[in-house]
Amino acid sequence: MQFRTKARAVELLGKGQIADLPTAITELWKNGYDAYADDLSLVYYTEGYEDVNTDFVVLSDDGKGMNRKDIEDKWLILGTDSKSRNKKPEKGVETLWKETRPIMGEKGIGRLSVSYLGSPMLMLSKKIGSPIQALFFDWRILENYNLFLSEVTIPITHIDSIDSFRNSFKILQQDFLANLISKDADAQKEIDIKWSDQIELKESIIEDVKSIKLNGFLKMRLFKVC
């Protein structure tokens, strides 16, 4: 026999360890510090600014970033002990040629603090020598107490240029929505059964994910930084 993990365990681990929003932001900035960032920021964009029609938050830092392997082997593995077990990296590309720093976050769940900022979430990360990685997820899917963690798909792709960004984002949206919508009748029936007790939540997630549009000014700002 083996343990099986319900999807909501991730939500309980994240929010159960975080007292409030300021604490959540602090935990995320700790991760930025551990990634050798010097500039960390949080900007809250509200409706009426530029082409913003829905409020959203941008949390960013200028740390070393992640490639796909880093995301798959570290970010997506909860409780990873890579920080606490590994030796401090030598001064070089892994420290962005800065002096080594004491580790701030060691529990392996600080990344879950981002769920406090809102949902859905688009994560962009770039490591030197690798293309931009994009991951899309709506944390509310973890509120379904009928789902097991192994049943939830988190889409990720790489972005080659600013011109391909919009199309790549649409693919991420579609891949995530496959958790909730299927063209196969039998698969859709199974999905509906899993969500039969939380139909409103399911419909809300679908509507919100479908309605997301990339803001032009933000796209230019992100690629200018990357």
Side-chain angles (χ1 to χ4, degrees):
M1 301 292 289
Q2 295 178 324
F3 280 115
R4 299 179 69 196
T5 307
K6 284 293 185 76
R8 67 188 301 264
V10 177
E11 181 190 27
L12 295 174
L13 278 172
K15 293 184 177 178
Q17 295 290 322
I18 304 299
D20 49 33
L21 182 57
T23 303
I25 295 172
T26 299
E27 288 298 320
L28 292 166
W29 275 341
K30 283 182 182 179
N31 286 345
Y33 176 86
D34 289 341
Y36 288 86
D38 290 325
D39 296 319
L40 306 100
S41 70
L42 184 146
V43 182
Y44 180 34
Y45 294 97
T46 59
E47 184 178 358
Y49 177 80
E50 295 284 347
D51 57 348
V52 176
N53 52 25
T54 302
D55 296 357
F56 66 95
V57 170
V58 175
L59 181 78
S60 61
D61 66 62
D62 61 350
K64 61 183 179 181
M66 296 180 286
N67 55 27
R68 188 181 183 104
K69 189 175 188 303
D70 292 329
I71 294 175
E72 293 178 346
D73 295 349
K74 297 177 182 179
W75 200 88
L76 288 175
I77 297 181
L78 303 180
T80 177
D81 59 354
S82 58
K83 289 184 181 179
S84 58
R85 184 174 60 177
N86 292 352
K87 295 180 180 180
K88 289 183 179 180
E90 296 182 0
K91 184 177 180 181
V93 65
E94 285 300 308
T95 69
L96 298 181
W97 297 277
K98 302 169 187 175
E99 297 298 328
T100 56
R101 298 175 175 179
I103 297 171
M104 299 293 289
E106 296 184 0
K107 294 182 179 179
I109 58 173
R111 75 213 66 174
L112 302 181
S113 301
V114 73
S115 64
Y116 257 84
L117 303 184
S119 206
M121 173 198 77
L122 172 64
M123 182 177 79
L124 300 175
S125 189
K126 187 181 187 309
K127 191 170 187 176
I128 294 174
S130 299
I132 297 172
Q133 302 297 317
L135 179 150
F136 181 79
F137 192 65
D138 192 311
W139 295 95
R140 292 172 297 175
I141 198 172
L142 301 178
E143 296 176 20
N144 185 332
Y145 38 75
N146 291 320
L147 285 178
F148 285 95
L149 199 54
S150 59
E151 297 175 305
V152 179
T153 298
I154 303 175
I156 179 174
T157 189
H158 68 275
I159 300 173
D160 296 315
S161 66
I162 190 171
D163 295 326
S164 66
F165 188 18
R166 190 175 299 278
N167 185 58
S168 296
F169 181 62
K170 288 182 179 179
I171 293 173
L172 287 173
Q173 287 175 295
Q174 293 169 0
D175 289 348
F176 175 79
L177 286 173
N179 287 297
L180 305 166
I181 304 172
S182 176
K183 295 180 180 179
D184 181 80
D186 291 335
Q188 186 61 54
K189 183 178 180 180
E190 186 175 344
I191 291 173
D192 292 340
I193 291 173
K194 292 281 186 179
W195 286 90
S196 59
D197 297 326
Q198 294 167 288
I199 296 175
E200 290 186 5
L201 175 60
K202 173 190 170 187
E203 293 178 346
S204 179
I205 295 173
I206 293 173
E207 181 180 352
D208 290 346
V209 170
K210 283 184 174 181
S211 66
I212 297 175
K213 294 182 180 179
L214 293 175
N215 302 98
F217 82 93
L218 181 63
K219 184 171 68 172
M220 295 299 295
R221 175 177 177 270
L222 290 173
F223 273 83
K224 183 178 180 181
V225 173
C226 294

